[in-house]
Amino acid sequence: MNIVNFTPISSLTGGLLIGLSVALFFILNGRMIGISRIASNFLVSKKNRVENLLFLVGLILGPLIYNLISSQEINISISNSLILLVIGGFLVGFGTRLSSGCTSGHGISGISRFSLRSIISTITFMLVGILTVLIIGIS
Amino acid sequence: MNKIVSLLCGIIFGIGLVISQMINPAKVLGFLNLFGEWDPSLAFVMIGALIISSPSFHLFKNKEKPIFSSSFSIPNKKEIDKELIFGSILFGAGWGLVGLCPGPAITSIALFNVSSAIFVVSMFIGFYIASKTN
């Protein structure tokens, strides 16, 4: 194992903000954040639809506001082919809706509650993610 | 107030994803590349989030009600069913293929990246089909 590109300070700082968002949403609105749930419920359910939409709009405003206050450029790099993007997106959408949570819903909100379901889900999707990257790396 | 809180929490979450660089799939794939050139950063994002969110949850969950809402809404499902396991496996495979999960995928719409936009459309189709078939 070789450790590369490790950014502990910015990761921890960003993580604290994510935790603050989850905490405020719970203390003020009474709900635990799970982005797959917020996004998929916005699509299929009338309940809390405006709140869910506003949360998603807030997410998209995040990088735009960051650009106003920081001179640092936001870099993203995606190298997949069109077909892999379509398959990957579908698996993420279908899978998180089926298992009722994603990295935020199970990985942060669920583990915050010490939910066994969320702990098992998080271990599962992380192991499968690691395995997928390993297989792609070999092939 | 609920609506303002939702927007504000979305903004804070989105900025958190930018600062932690979790918006960048290459960074996430670096974490999943455990047996190669490994980037442990994602673990620090989760630690940072949990040290705020977990104590806040446990301190406030027994309060009578949240500040701007009439009751708490906390997932109460306990059983480890096949949907949980099968869904987590599918999610892990898609996550490992591209390096995007729902939060960063939606947040990256702000950057007008064509690849992430295609991913988001396909993800919403996945949400829709899963919600209609289960």
Side-chain angles (χ1 to χ4, degrees):
Chain A
M1 182 194 294
N2 248 338
I3 291 188
V4 293
N5 301 328
F6 187 28
T7 50
I9 304 297
S10 59
S11 296
L12 204 59
T13 311
L16 291 171
L17 283 175
I18 292 169
L20 176 70
S21 168
V22 173
L24 287 176
F25 203 61
F26 181 67
I27 296 165
L28 301 174
N29 281 5
R31 293 167 62 198
M32 290 302 274
I33 288 178
I35 295 177
S36 61
R37 186 181 293 273
I38 290 175
S40 63
N41 276 353
F42 163 69
L43 189 68
V44 300
S45 161
K46 287 199 174 72
K47 197 181 168 203
N48 294 322
R49 187 166 258 166
V50 178
E51 282 85 350
N52 288 341
L53 173 64
L54 285 169
F55 183 89
L56 300 176
V57 169
L59 278 183
I60 297 167
L61 287 176
L64 304 175
I65 292 171
Y66 177 86
N67 274 336
L68 295 177
I69 52 184
S70 167
S71 56
Q72 233 167 13
E73 214 179 317
I74 306 173
N75 287 314
I76 70 169
S77 155
I78 308 176
S79 53
N80 300 89
S81 62
L82 174 70
I83 184 74
L84 279 185
L85 289 170
V86 171
I87 294 171
F90 184 84
L91 288 173
V92 168
F94 190 91
T96 55
R97 178 76 194 185
L98 191 63
S99 67
S100 315
C102 56
T103 331
S104 55
H106 282 310
I108 297 170
S109 294
I111 291 182
S112 290
R113 296 186 289 112
F114 309 140
S115 153
L116 183 63
R117 269 173 62 84
S118 292
I119 292 167
I120 289 176
S121 171
T122 305
I123 291 171
T124 307
F125 67 66
M126 283 204 173
L127 286 179
V128 175
I130 289 167
L131 196 67
T132 306
V133 168
L134 184 67
I135 293 168
I136 291 173
I138 291 168
S139 60
Chain B
M1 277 314 285
N2 275 302
K3 297 182 175 62
I4 297 170
V5 170
S6 298
L7 184 69
L8 210 68
C9 284
I11 292 172
I12 297 171
F13 202 112
I15 293 176
L17 288 174
V18 171
I19 291 177
S20 64
Q21 297 179 60
M22 289 300 114
I23 192 171
N24 184 2
K27 189 88 180 152
V28 174
L29 291 177
F31 175 77
L32 296 176
N33 191 18
L34 185 63
F35 298 107
E37 308 254 279
W38 191 46
D39 176 359
S41 302
L42 187 144
F44 273 57
V45 181
M46 290 200 60
I47 293 167
L50 288 170
I51 55 177
I52 304 278
S53 60
S54 192
S56 307
F57 172 78
H58 292 282
L59 281 171
F60 283 86
K61 66 174 177 181
N62 293 323
K63 295 261 189 281
E64 197 184 331
K65 63 183 202 58
I67 293 171
F68 298 128
S69 189
S70 57
S71 66
F72 286 108
S73 161
I74 301 168
N76 53 10
K77 212 167 165 185
K78 291 269 187 291
E79 49 179 321
I80 315 297
D81 48 22
K82 62 178 193 304
E83 284 81 6
L84 181 80
I85 304 298
F86 190 51
S88 301
I89 291 172
L90 295 181
F91 167 43
W95 195 38
L97 273 181
V98 183
L100 281 171
C101 54
I106 292 167
T107 306
S108 68
I109 290 174
L111 306 175
F112 297 106
N113 182 294
V114 178
S115 295
S116 76
I118 293 166
F119 182 93
V120 169
V121 170
S122 191
M123 180 176 82
F124 271 88
I125 294 170
F127 286 151
Y128 186 78
I129 294 177
S131 71
K132 294 299 163 194
T133 51
N134 280 282

Coordinates of all heavy atoms in Angstrom, one line a residue, chain B residues 18 27 29 52 61 64 105 124:
Chain B
V18 N -17.1 20.5 -1.6 CA -16.1 21.2 -2.4 C -14.8 21.2 -1.6 O -13.7 20.8 -2.1 CB -16.6 22.6 -2.7 CG1 -15.4 23.3 -3.4 CG2 -17.8 22.5 -3.7
K27 N -10.8 11.8 -6.6 CA -10.4 11.8 -5.2 C -11.0 10.6 -4.5 O -10.4 9.9 -3.7 CB -10.8 13.1 -4.6 CG -10.3 13.4 -3.2 CD -8.9 14.0 -3.2 CE -8.5 14.3 -1.7 NZ -7.1 14.3 -1.6
L29 N -12.2 7.8 -6.0 CA -11.6 6.5 -6.5 C -10.2 6.3 -5.8 O -9.9 5.1 -5.6 CB -11.5 6.6 -8.0 CG -12.8 6.6 -8.7 CD1 -12.6 6.7 -10.2 CD2 -13.6 5.3 -8.4
I52 N -19.4 15.7 14.6 CA -20.4 16.7 14.8 C -21.8 16.1 14.8 O -22.6 16.4 15.7 CB -20.4 17.8 13.6 CG1 -19.0 18.4 13.5 CG2 -21.4 18.9 13.9 CD1 -18.6 19.5 14.5
K61 N -32.1 14.0 20.3 CA -33.2 13.0 19.9 C -34.3 12.8 20.9 O -35.4 12.5 20.6 CB -32.6 11.7 19.5 CG -32.0 10.9 20.7 CD -31.5 9.5 20.4 CE -30.9 9.0 21.6 NZ -30.3 7.6 21.5
E64 N -38.5 17.1 23.0 CA -39.9 17.0 22.7 C -40.1 17.1 21.2 O -40.8 16.3 20.6 CB -40.7 18.0 23.4 CG -42.2 17.7 23.5 CD -42.9 18.9 24.1 OE1 -42.3 19.5 25.0 OE2 -44.1 19.1 23.8
A105 N -22.6 14.0 -7.0 CA -23.1 14.0 -8.3 C -24.0 15.2 -8.5 O -23.9 15.9 -9.5 CB -23.9 12.7 -8.6
F124 N -31.2 9.4 -11.6 CA -32.6 9.7 -11.4 C -33.5 8.6 -12.0 O -34.5 8.3 -11.5 CB -33.0 11.1 -11.8 CG -32.8 12.1 -10.7 CD1 -31.6 12.8 -10.5 CD2 -33.8 12.4 -9.8 CE1 -31.3 13.7 -9.5 CE2 -33.6 13.3 -8.8 CZ -32.4 14.0 -8.6

